[in-house]
Amino acid sequence: MPSVWENPAESALLGQVIEPSRRALVGGRDGIVRGARGVVIDDCEWMVRAISLADEAARLGEVPVGAILLVPDATGAHGESRVFLARNEKETRPDPTAHAEMLALRAAAATLGTWRVGGTLYVTKEPCLMCAGAIVAARVQRLVYGCDDPKAGAAGSIIDAFGSAAANHHVVVEGGVEADAAAAQLRAFFAARRGERRGPPGPSVL
């Protein structure tokens, strides 16, 4: 699905349709990205932008996870899509369900007026079981994620929710896109948090 992007994501747009007045789009209208102009963006570039959203989450003390949802625009010409941005906000809200994936799906459903969201979801980390269930329920057509989550990943690391016979919708899953950068981002966040919990070193006894 060809799409274009001019500037990196802005925090004020998280979880919302990107408005062309904010210069996030080239040639778009009403939050629509057009494939007819500008530079075509591939999976790696969308993931890099999702990683930038995760950076914003980390600066707010949130686990760094970012998500971008592209939904084909039913009213526009072929190749146009709406773009929804989200970052992890579980601590900020506070809300145990406020993962980046969930917020992107909610914003899309509210804006489009349907729970059948569809589209392609980019997320920096393998979704958990809650998010995997929501992705299936929202009829997302394609999931692209960055690094695996060996502790809670539901796309094959711990459980494969997308491959389960209980799933009533098939999602095409592609993992490992910009995996090294996404994993390094998470490692750095948790290393810094462990350092804060330990506090400064005590006085030397020598």
Side-chain angles (χ1 to χ4, degrees), residues 108-176:
T111 300
L112 301 174
T114 177
W115 58 267
R116 294 177 180 270
V117 170
T120 297
L121 178 64
Y122 295 89
V123 60
T124 56
K125 180 179 70 65
E126 181 182 5
C128 68
L129 186 58
M130 173 185 70
C131 293
I135 290 166
V136 171
R139 303 297 191 264
V140 170
Q141 295 158 329
R142 182 168 172 255
L143 167 69
V144 181
Y145 70 87
C147 63
D148 293 338
D149 183 349
K151 293 185 177 180
S157 289
I158 297 299
I159 187 172
D160 186 3
F162 300 103
S164 170
N168 61 356
H169 168 72
H170 176 67
V171 179
V172 175
V173 179
E174 299 177 40

Side-chain angles (χ1 to χ4, degrees), residues 8-9 11 25-26 28 78 80 106 110 112 146 165 203 206:
S11 59
L25 306 181
V26 178
H78 178 71
E80 294 183 350
R106 288 178 193 167
L112 301 174
L206 298 179

